[in-house]
Amino acid sequence: MTRMTNANDAGSAVSGAGSNGGRNLSDAAIVARVDAGTLSTVIDALSALVTECRLEFDDDGLSVIATDPAVVASVSVDLAAGAFETYDGANGTFGLDVERLGTIVGLADRDRPVTLAVDAGTRHLHVGIGELRYEMGLLDPETIRSPPDPTELRFEYGGGAVLPSATVDRFVGATDLVANHLSIALADEALRIEADGDVDAVSLEFEATDLQAFTPGEARSLYSLEYLRDMSRAIPGDAAVDLRIGTETPISLGFEIADGDGSVEYVLSPRIARE
Amino acid sequence: MTRMTNANDAGSAVSGAGSNGGRNLSDAAIVARVDAGTLSTVIDALSALVTECRLEFDDDGLSVIATDPAVVASVSVDLAAGAFETYDGANGTFGLDVERLGTIVGLADRDRPVTLAVDAGTRHLHVGIGELRYEMGLLDPETIRSPPDPTELRFEYGGGAVLPSATVDRFVGATDLVANHLSIALADEALRIEADGDVDAVSLEFEATDLQAFTPGEARSLYSLEYLRDMSRAIPGDAAVDLRIGTETPISLGFEIADGDGSVEYVLSPRIARE
Amino acid sequence: MTRMTNANDAGSAVSGAGSNGGRNLSDAAIVARVDAGTLSTVIDALSALVTECRLEFDDDGLSVIATDPAVVASVSVDLAAGAFETYDGANGTFGLDVERLGTIVGLADRDRPVTLAVDAGTRHLHVGIGELRYEMGLLDPETIRSPPDPTELRFEYGGGAVLPSATVDRFVGATDLVANHLSIALADEALRIEADGDVDAVSLEFEATDLQAFTPGEARSLYSLEYLRDMSRAIPGDAAVDLRIGTETPISLGFEIADGDGSVEYVLSPRIARE
């Protein structure tokens, strides 16, 4: 097994050595370096929906689109080359065990740089954090569920609002007390959330003037709380969430990451209400 | 189902509206407003013994008396009208799911006001916390175990002491290591706690001079640790606990809440010691 | 059952009294007083390997040597008389339920003094923490697994390093992700840790210049992660760990406690690598 051993690696090139046989990674397909906090945010965003995904690297940076097993929700992540400390990228598609990489990156402080080097030949991802080298097997992208075509994820939304992530946490947490789905609607000058249980009911009304932005429109749909709960947990605490909805259409929840050098968008299909 | 929808409600009146049909709550039996911290303290005090109880509202405020299912302990809570920010009360008795209300109030920061409006007609409690409206079904008071007559809860105590809640936590925690019951006794100038296990034994002696108050007297009784543990958890960290005991009599643990505008008293029957 | 009841005991003598019959402990075999933090460190060190052990008291202080049930690892603890606030010791060997004493000491703040009085006659350990008296049954030392002869724990080590306890936590945590054993080796000017899983591999290389001390030498052995994980949890956060290894020999992890008035040493046998 190849091991990465040069503890002094501080730049973009990870060179192999060590008693068990080395392998020069100058022929690694991709070498990139990014702070652990940004990488964790990306991993958390993906983990809300999937356990494995396809990483797409090109000259512009990293992008991932993935759909949950039930094909009810999707997540799109873009991380521009500018979000990386160094980005020495070639084109390539690799299959990633998302949870495994999350555990490794979790060993690092959030502001610590993490070096990622993809060895396309051995299909391994080399993760370097300070004196730590982790060699992780990659998955065959062909064995991973195909992501949707991005054009299929563009919907006509009736309107929307921009709100703090804490507000999303709040309406998800409150409606979760009574039901496993909730309705999100745009009223004249307010965003309105409702959930009905067998006995109890919850509603929350956020006035347009209390929101960071508000686009009125015709919109009311029912969504699964389970998905929204997982998504809300993955949204960073300081994010402004761009929420877009229509009537019986998907909802889109978007937010910036990496100080604007990256973005995440969740799209969740509506549930059909039984009247 | 009726829903409360006016997010701008800042006073004592909660008016109903909304797409699903509204209902004016000016005919609500009771409308009261109190900070979440005080309400949580009351709910925690009740939850130590019961999962449901009867709320009694009258001109003076709110009172609750409840007995645990084994009828070994009781809790009495009084919250004077002055403890409320606004109190627009009529007389009435309602059955409450204590745990459910606790979960809802747990969504609010402790210093945030919570509006309670009882709709006697639909038997619903409307809970308002900021932009959140929770409509909660009330229980039929007739289905709830009858509370004891308050006069039955007045006992002759041999003496007692006033001590910080941390001291109660301490003797409960220490004796819990060896047994499931403990003896509480007044010595000449000390409060003395003892518990005997099969092999180990614990005793704690609090000198009168180290206590906030001490009333000497003949007193020694054995109590169940399980009840005292639940009670000690519900006593606020800054409370001064008024402990009264006798010989083979109940123990009373009382403390003020709401800056003195309310009070809680636990009464726990003794266990009969097998000699 | 004898109980300790004098809440005013502030010195080294614990005198017995109380309604249930007292017993003067001036004839206790050992009376010692030490801060809860030091005692907790000792207990944690022992608890990593054993649930019961033999305490050896003599004029110089307290010493314990114990071996885990599988006889794979041992722990030696020395606490000099100077580590105690007061130490009024006679010679004696007593069997201790380590976990039980840990729970009791856990009731005290770390800087609070704890009084230990061994009553050899009744075979009880009396633990005093402020107003709390805990009377704990001791075990018959003959029923406890014999500790190894200290001379058997002296090995020839090829070299070693001194490193912060956080570094031990780090390599244990990282290698734990992929395997249940790890190899520790001395390279020319570095300490090198490796673990191989079925698919993934981890390595960490700590340069001599980044360590608190480094003694080069021929050394490479394989160890069980389970033991190292338990040991790393018991090492205080601020300890400098003296690590010594050889080739297919035990590893020794030593650190000072009680500001240098005490020490702990773990010795762990190597696993035989299957090549």
Side-chain angles (χ1 to χ4, degrees), chain A residues 170 173-174 177-178 192 194-207 210 220, chain B residues 1 3-5 7-8 19-20 100 103-104 107 112 124 129 131-137:
Chain A
R170 183 166 170 81
L177 297 180
V178 301
R192 184 170 174 79
E194 292 178 350
D196 282 358
D198 291 338
V199 178
D200 296 356
V202 172
S203 66
L204 300 98
E205 193 160 300
F206 301 95
E207 302 289 324
D210 292 338
R220 179 183 170 87
Chain B
M1 183 173 285
R3 283 190 196 75
M4 307 305 311
T5 64
N8 289 324
S19 55
N20 299 32
R100 172 53 58 117
T103 307
I104 301 163
L107 295 173
R112 198 157 187 189
H124 274 85
I129 305 170
E131 72 289 328
L132 169 70
R133 293 291 172 271
Y134 193 104
E135 185 183 10
M136 178 180 166

Side-chain angles (χ1 to χ4, degrees), chain B residues 157-160 185-190 214-220 245-247:
Chain B
Y157 296 107
L186 295 178
D188 264 358
E189 283 298 317
F214 185 79
T215 308
E218 186 66 31
R220 178 184 169 88
I245 42 172
T247 294

Side-chain angles (χ1 to χ4, degrees), chain B residues 121-267:
Chain B
T122 64
R123 255 197 198 144
H124 274 85
L125 175 66
H126 298 267
V127 184
I129 305 170
E131 72 289 328
L132 169 70
R133 293 291 172 271
Y134 193 104
E135 185 183 10
M136 178 180 166
L138 289 167
L139 309 173
D140 181 351
E142 296 307 311
T143 65
I144 297 178
R145 194 171 42 253
S146 290
D149 184 331
T151 59
E152 293 174 15
L153 295 175
R154 289 188 205 117
F155 298 96
E156 291 293 320
Y157 296 107
V162 177
L163 56 173
S165 65
T167 298
V168 178
D169 294 344
R170 182 166 172 78
F171 73 67
V172 168
T175 52
D176 203 15
L177 297 181
V178 301
N180 53 26
H181 55 271
L182 54 72
S183 94
I184 302 182
L186 295 178
D188 264 358
E189 283 298 317
L191 175 70
R192 184 170 173 79
I193 319 286
E194 292 178 350
D196 282 357
D198 290 337
V199 178
D200 296 356
V202 172
S203 67
L204 300 98
E205 194 161 298
F206 301 94
E207 302 289 323
T209 49
D210 292 338
L211 297 170
Q212 293 168 261
F214 185 79
T215 308
E218 186 66 31
R220 178 184 169 88
S221 296
L222 202 65
Y223 302 102
S224 158
L225 250 166
E226 185 183 350
Y227 282 93
L228 287 170
R229 189 171 49 224
D230 289 345
M231 292 171 182
S232 75
R233 285 179 186 155
I235 300 175
D238 59 352
V241 180
D242 187 3
L243 178 157
R244 297 173 195 213
I245 42 172
T247 294
E248 306 219 338
T249 60
I251 186 172
S252 164
L253 297 172
F255 53 95
E256 290 191 346
I257 58 173
D259 291 331
D261 276 330
S263 63
V264 174
E265 184 186 10
Y266 289 116
V267 175

Side-chain angles (χ1 to χ4, degrees), chain A residues 49 101 117 120 127 141 187 198 203 206 224 258:
Chain A
L49 293 187
L101 182 58
V127 184
D198 291 338
S203 66
F206 301 95
S224 159

Side-chain angles (χ1 to χ4, degrees), chain B residues 49-50 52 54 65 67-71 141-147:
Chain B
L49 292 187
V50 297
E52 53 189 45
R54 297 184 192 186
I65 302 181
T67 305
D68 85 289
V71 200
E142 296 307 311
T143 65
I144 297 178
R145 194 171 42 253
S146 290

Side-chain angles (χ1 to χ4, degrees), chain B residues 167 170 173-175 177-178 192 194-207 209-210 220, chain C residues 1-5 7-8 18-20 100 103-104 107 112 124 129-137:
Chain B
T167 298
R170 182 166 172 78
T175 52
L177 297 181
V178 301
R192 184 170 173 79
E194 292 178 350
D196 282 357
D198 290 337
V199 178
D200 296 356
V202 172
S203 67
L204 300 98
E205 194 161 298
F206 301 94
E207 302 289 323
T209 49
D210 292 338
R220 178 184 169 88
Chain C
M1 185 173 284
T2 304
R3 283 189 197 76
M4 307 305 309
T5 64
N8 288 324
S19 54
N20 298 32
R100 172 55 56 120
T103 307
I104 301 162
L107 294 173
R112 199 156 186 192
H124 274 85
I129 305 171
E131 73 289 328
L132 169 70
R133 292 293 170 273
Y134 193 105
E135 185 183 9
M136 177 178 167

